[in-house]
């Protein structure tokens, strides 16, 4: 069985997480850099699933093998589930650190701090398209702390923990995150298809 997968992302943090999670299952994850693909892949859709599919389809005629795409986001209940599918484009004038600080500030007097990370993975294998969407739930932290992970990790405290992903060992994120859950479903699909 072919155990090499191309991941259609330009986000090197995602590549690292996919490699760490899939390696124990015996999969090799190639990045777009590995195949010398440097064109931008546009995210023009309003759902995670459609964006994940678009990422895979952009590579369909470029790579002959298993291709996966990941579209993810951060949903905050008190902000009407923003930034959601627009997470990568939220407050573009701010650095990610400033963005996290701005979110903490917006929620300063908010009792409902519930939030979720979302990950949709699309997979193209033998001309068949498969998609999953998974969420991990938590609360928004009261301050921006820690350096592990990326993006909104410094303000996401997963349910059952008292620290954000940025302060937890990365092996914990790789077990319980939205991406870990979606990858678990992907492995089940690949092993049974
Ligand atoms: P690609 O489209 O090239 O895959 P991207 O960074 O643009 O990379 P997304 O469109 O899926 O990825 O954007 C999701 C944004 O949500 C991402 O830039 C992060 O800021 C945030 N995000 C996604 N997964 C995350 C995670 O596991 N931890 C923290 N933040 C995350």
């Amino acid at each position: 069985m072919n155990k090499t997968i191309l991941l259609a992302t330009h986000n090197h943090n995602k590549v690292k997480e996919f490699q760490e999670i899939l390696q124990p299952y015996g999969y090799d994850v190639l990045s777009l850099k590995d195949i010398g693909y440097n064109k931008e892949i546009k995210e023009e859709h309003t759902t995670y699933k459609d964006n994940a599919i678009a990422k895979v389809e952009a590579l369909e005629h470029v790579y002959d093998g298993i291709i996966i795409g990941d579209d993810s986001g951060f949903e905050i209940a008190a902000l009407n589930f923003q930034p959601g599918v627009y997470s990568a484009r939220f407050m573009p004038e701010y650095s990610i650190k400033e963005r996290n600080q701005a979110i903490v500030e917006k929620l300063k007097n908010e009792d409902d701090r519930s939030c979720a990370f979302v990950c949709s993975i699309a997979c193209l294998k033998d001309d068949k398209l498969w998609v999953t969407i998974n969420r991990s739930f938590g609360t928004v932290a009261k301050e921006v702390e820690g350096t592990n992970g990326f993006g909104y990790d410094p303000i996401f405290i997963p349910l059952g923990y008292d620290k954000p992903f940025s302060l937890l060992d990365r092996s914990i994120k790789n077990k319980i995150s939205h991406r870990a859950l979606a990858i678990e479903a992907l492995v089940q699909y690949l092993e049974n298809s």
Side-chain angles (χ1 to χ4, degrees):
M1 180 187 158
N2 176 13
K3 287 205 146 191
T4 301
I5 297 176
L6 175 68
L7 174 58
T9 182
H10 285 297
N11 181 327
H12 66 274
N13 292 295
K14 283 188 187 176
V15 174
K16 195 168 165 193
E17 289 188 5
F18 272 90
Q19 287 172 334
E20 285 170 356
I21 299 171
L22 283 168
Q23 199 258 337
Y25 294 102
Y27 288 93
D28 278 332
V29 178
L30 298 179
S31 65
L32 292 181
K33 205 170 158 197
D34 291 328
I35 64 156
Y37 185 93
N38 41 36
K39 284 190 209 154
E40 188 196 349
I41 304 177
K42 292 219 164 70
E43 286 175 38
E44 298 172 319
H45 301 281
T46 54
T47 67
Y48 302 101
K49 283 186 177 181
D50 285 345
N51 280 334
I53 292 169
K55 291 177 192 189
V56 160
E57 287 180 343
L59 273 298
E60 194 176 353
H61 301 295
V62 175
Y63 182 78
D64 189 19
I66 304 171
I67 308 171
I68 57 174
D70 165 316
D71 196 61
S72 25
F74 184 42
E75 299 181 336
I76 301 167
L79 299 183
N80 208 14
F81 302 96
Q82 280 188 62
V85 74
Y86 304 105
S87 291
R89 296 160 272 174
F90 188 57
M91 298 181 176
E93 68 282 16
Y94 284 11
S95 69
I96 186 66
K97 192 167 179 197
E98 289 167 339
R99 224 183 287 179
N100 284 336
Q101 269 155 351
I103 291 172
V104 166
E105 184 61 26
K106 270 180 199 265
L107 264 68
K108 199 166 60 182
N109 300 314
E110 184 58 59
D111 291 333
D112 180 4
R113 308 192 69 84
S114 52
C115 60
F117 265 138
V118 189
C119 176
S120 177
I121 294 179
C123 172
L124 186 67
K125 181 189 171 196
D126 301 331
D127 286 331
K128 281 198 233 51
L129 188 62
W130 172 93
V131 192
T132 186
I133 183 157
N134 297 75
R135 281 176 169 76
S136 54
F137 296 92
T139 54
V140 178
K142 293 197 167 147
E143 53 189 323
V144 184
E145 288 181 285
T147 53
N148 289 344
F150 66 101
Y152 302 94
D153 282 342
I155 57 169
F156 179 84
I157 302 177
L159 278 189
Y161 293 82
D162 58 2
K163 288 183 196 137
F165 273 153
S166 56
L167 287 173
L168 292 168
D169 194 276
R170 50 189 308 110
S171 62
I172 296 176
K173 181 179 180 193
N174 285 347
K175 253 193 224 117
I176 65 169
S177 78
H178 50 314
R179 187 160 297 110
L181 298 174
I183 293 174
E184 210 174 287
L186 172 71
V187 170
Q188 290 298 319
Y189 169 70
L190 291 175
E191 305 283 306
N192 293 295
S193 63

